[in-house]
Amino acid sequence: MAGTEDDALLPNGKGPPTDSTSSSNQGLSAQLHRIAGARDWDALEQLCDRYWLALPDLCGPDLVTVFEQIPSDVLQSRPRLLVAWISAFHLSKDTDSKTRRPYLRGLTDVGEWIASSFDPDTETSAATLAAVGTIVLITIRMRGDLEGAERYGQRLSERMAQLNPRPAAEPMARPGWIAFQRGLTRTLMADFGRAAEQYRQAHELARSEPTVFFAGLNGVANLAMIFAHLGHHTATEHWLDTMRSYPPSTPSVAFLLTVGGTIAEGWQALDRYDQAGVQAALEITGDGSLSIEVWPFVTALAAAHAVHAGRAVEYLDTLQLVQLNHAGVHTTQGMGLRVLHRALADLLIAAGKPNHALKLISEAGPDAHWLTVPAARLRLLNGDYEIARTLAARFQSHSATAHRDLLQLLLIKAAAALHMGEGTEAARAMNSAMRLRSPDEVLSLTTLPPADRAELFRIATVPLSDLAAERLAAAPHVFPSNAKLVDLTTRERAVLAELATGDTATQIARTLVVSVNTVRTQIQSIYRKLGASTRDEAIMRASELGIL
């Protein structure tokens, strides 16, 4: 799409602002005041649609002054202007915040008010649908209703298709913004396939727009984030390059629009065992506690870095703060729940607390497939090689198994087979892992016990590059070489919990509706597994191990 004279007002990658740019900005400010003087609110809406997120950076103080002149009844009757006013005010005033919490809070407050009266199915303005409908969508998502947000997004998409059945002669208002917001919702639902579809659509709709490309930039940054999180290096680099091909974003929202790309760069560095590179990324993103919607992806990266940098115990404490910094509706479902579960399990194993990790995995239940890797690792370290191999083999072909986890499962399977004397199977699994990883990737290999890794390299036929070998040699040991699990049955756990209350065997039998002899047999089994000879010793030992 051809640019116009006013397009020069936006950052476009051609260098710092010049005198002519400053003059153009003054012209835009004068245009704003002329519109306000004429009380031409239609023209003001069109101007805000045209420049969108860039307008506060271009002429923030003048924009705020103009909006202060608009009668309140006009703002209430024109929700697009109300949304633009909130953006202008907060993006102009809150100049130091990365997360833009006051801005987002203002939008969601408006979203709550608009939601009761705004009907996307009857809206006749595509610009209003994009600007106002997405605010309602974001508000629903921020409540924690991810399914409801996606249903609402589907309604917006369907109505937009009715209003814009063919390519329009004029630029689309906020191109790709509905698709991006639906992609973000799907991302937080851990539905990466549908999320990627929406992000690509946002990119296709916005990439050629000279002034309103924000949804496309945000979309490709999040595509890079998803592929990096899953461990697909080539796809990650593709979308990072695409992100870098966009013009620089307007400064006030640059962090929010590109944080997904920063997370992706951090994963790429961590996979190469470039500790300085991942640390540089985390200095921008934080440790997961920042109030941004993609916080689970920051947390996953930060936790993995802590595990591989020998700081598991330190980050266990940080992880508690991360969880407390986000509302329960976001930490108990979707990506929030999965990341917190997985990070905690990996950190506990690395910190030498395998029974705490086993309790977490047991309580999560068999449907928590995202905990398969730590579950299989625990069995490997405990010497339960057949169980470890079975777990790894079962989830190799599971549709929800990420590429990154598949690498881990193949390595666990190889190590388990090695200990079982199945050299051919061990070599086959190791070769599969070596072919699956990218040439620069080292992270997965560091998770193997050093002795196992050396033997698997000896029998494998797929070589390691010299650079990867050098990085691997410098990497510290990540997980303990072994773990002693106290694997109580479900009934034994129930009896132990009753023992901790001080109940007698007779009372426990009555509570659990079993015979006293059954309870006594289970108590003896509990004592044997815990290495205890009395109730107090068993309770103390169970508490130390995290079983109680």
Side-chain angles (χ1 to χ4, degrees):
M1 179 178 295
T4 67
E5 181 179 350
D6 285 340
D7 293 339
L9 303 175
L10 281 174
N12 56 13
K14 296 181 180 179
T18 62
D19 290 341
S20 62
T21 302
S22 176
S23 176
S24 298
N25 288 2
Q26 291 174 5
L28 181 58
S29 295
Q31 185 179 354
L32 276 170
H33 287 291
R34 284 196 301 272
I35 289 173
R39 302 174 71 84
D40 188 350
W41 310 130
D42 289 338
L44 183 57
E45 281 183 334
Q46 292 167 10
L47 192 69
C48 291
D49 288 338
R50 181 176 184 186
Y51 291 104
W52 190 12
L53 294 175
L55 201 54
D57 281 320
L58 293 173
C59 51
D62 290 302
L63 187 62
V64 171
T65 299
V66 166
F67 271 112
E68 287 174 343
Q69 300 173 31
I70 302 176
S72 59
D73 61 322
V74 172
L75 283 176
Q76 291 180 7
S77 65
R78 292 175 178 263
R80 273 159 61 199
L81 282 185
L82 186 58
V83 169
W85 161 229
I86 291 171
S87 300
F89 181 83
H90 288 296
L91 296 181
S92 299
K93 301 290 186 182
D94 182 26
T95 57
D96 296 326
S97 172
K98 282 183 176 181
T99 62
R100 303 293 176 197
R101 294 311 298 169
Y103 163 52
L104 295 175
R105 192 180 309 114
L107 288 181
T108 53
D109 286 346
V110 169
E112 292 287 358
W113 173 70
I114 293 174
S116 61
S117 59
F118 182 74
D119 183 1
D121 299 329
T122 59
E123 178 57 52
T124 58
S125 166
T128 301
L129 195 71
V132 178
T134 50
I135 299 304
V136 178
L137 187 160
I138 292 169
T139 301
I140 296 171
R141 188 172 66 224
M142 294 296 287
R143 293 183 201 141
D145 185 3
L146 299 179
E147 294 285 352
E150 171 51 19
R151 287 193 300 271
Y152 195 86
Q154 179 66 30
R155 291 173 64 192
L156 293 177
S157 296
E158 291 172 354
R159 184 57 179 161
M160 184 64 81
Q162 293 171 351
L163 295 176
N164 288 326
R166 61 182 63 86
E170 295 297 321
M172 180 186 297
R174 292 169 172 78
W177 195 231
I178 293 174
F180 170 77
Q181 291 298 340
R182 292 186 64 194
L184 181 53
T185 302
R186 285 291 184 181
T187 298
L188 298 177
M189 294 169 69
D191 185 354
F192 297 139
R194 289 187 176 89
E197 291 175 6
Q198 295 295 331
Y199 288 144
R200 289 189 185 96
Q201 182 179 346
H203 168 55
E204 290 296 326
L205 290 170
R207 62 180 175 177
S208 62
E209 295 293 340
T211 60
V212 285
F213 52 81
F214 307 114
L217 173 62
N218 213 165
V220 297
N222 280 14
L223 275 168
M225 175 187 75
I226 286 175
F227 282 111
H229 182 83
L230 297 176
H232 294 285
H233 291 265
T234 302
T236 300
E237 283 301 324
H238 167 75
W239 290 111
L240 281 174
D241 288 342
T242 305
M243 182 189 76
R244 295 167 187 139
S245 72
Y246 271 79
S249 172
T250 181
S252 61
V253 291
F255 171 79
L256 291 177
L257 295 183
T258 61
V259 65
T262 305
I263 296 168
E265 290 170 340
W267 271 117
Q268 295 288 79
L270 184 58
D271 281 335
R272 297 191 304 269
Y273 240 76
D274 173 8
Q275 297 294 343
V278 68
Q279 188 61 46
L282 289 172
E283 285 176 3
I284 297 172
T285 66
D287 57 14
S289 57
L290 280 181
S291 296
I292 55 178
E293 288 195 274
V294 295
W295 69 266
F297 295 87
V298 179
T299 303
L301 174 63
H305 178 240
V307 166
H308 289 269
R311 295 190 294 103
V313 174
E314 176 186 339
Y315 194 79
L316 276 170
D317 185 58
T318 300
L319 193 64
Q320 289 184 328
L321 296 177
V322 168
Q323 184 166 359
L324 290 173
N325 276 340
H326 301 287
V329 292
H330 303 303
T331 61
T332 55
Q333 65 171 323
M335 281 304 297
L337 174 66
R338 295 184 185 202
V339 163
L340 289 172
H341 267 180
R342 178 61 180 273
L344 183 54
D346 287 340
L347 289 162
L348 288 170
I349 297 172
K353 298 182 177 182
N355 285 286
H356 290 74
L358 180 62
K359 180 183 179 184
L360 168 69
I361 294 167
S362 299
E363 290 176 347
D367 293 333
H369 58 81
W370 51 90
L371 292 176
T372 300
V373 171
R377 191 183 315 285
L378 281 175
R379 294 304 172 181
L380 176 68
L381 298 180
N382 192 53
D384 301 324
Y385 302 124
E386 182 61 45
I387 298 176
R389 183 174 69 169
T390 300
L391 276 172
R394 181 188 309 160
F395 282 89
Q396 271 182 245
S397 58
H398 195 287
S399 60
T401 300
H403 181 90
R404 186 178 297 281
D405 284 353
L406 179 57
L407 261 176
Q408 293 288 303
L409 292 173
L410 284 168
L411 292 170
I412 290 171
K413 181 181 178 181
L418 183 70
H419 282 279
M420 296 172 68
E422 301 287 348
T424 300
E425 182 181 347
R428 187 184 304 117
M430 185 64 178
N431 285 330
S432 295
M434 293 294 287
R435 293 190 189 98
L436 197 63
R437 52 177 286 280
S438 72
D440 290 339
E441 195 270 341
V442 174
L443 194 73
S444 63
L445 299 172
T446 65
T447 62
L448 285 171
D452 291 352
R453 187 171 66 219
E455 180 61 18
L456 287 170
F457 276 138
R458 189 187 67 79
I459 64 176
T461 57
V462 179
L464 192 66
S465 71
D466 291 342
L467 180 58
E470 181 182 339
R471 289 170 175 161
L472 186 59
H477 185 33
V478 176
F479 294 107
S481 296
N482 54 71
K484 178 61 177 175
L485 297 179
V486 177
D487 206 358
L488 301 183
T489 66
T490 301
R491 179 61 73 179
E492 287 169 347
R493 287 178 181 274
V495 170
L496 179 62
E498 296 300 325
L499 282 175
T501 68
D503 283 356
T504 65
T506 301
Q507 291 170 322
I508 294 172
R510 189 179 303 115
T511 299
L512 300 181
V513 195
V514 295
S515 71
V516 174
N517 285 337
T518 297
V519 171
R520 286 172 177 160
T521 299
Q522 289 167 341
I523 290 174
Q524 291 305 311
S525 177
I526 292 168
Y527 286 2
R528 183 180 69 257
K529 291 179 179 180
L530 290 173
S533 56
T534 66
R535 176 196 296 253
D536 288 344
E537 285 181 3
I539 294 171
M540 182 180 299
R541 180 66 174 151
S543 297
E544 291 172 351
L545 294 174
I547 296 171
L548 272 178

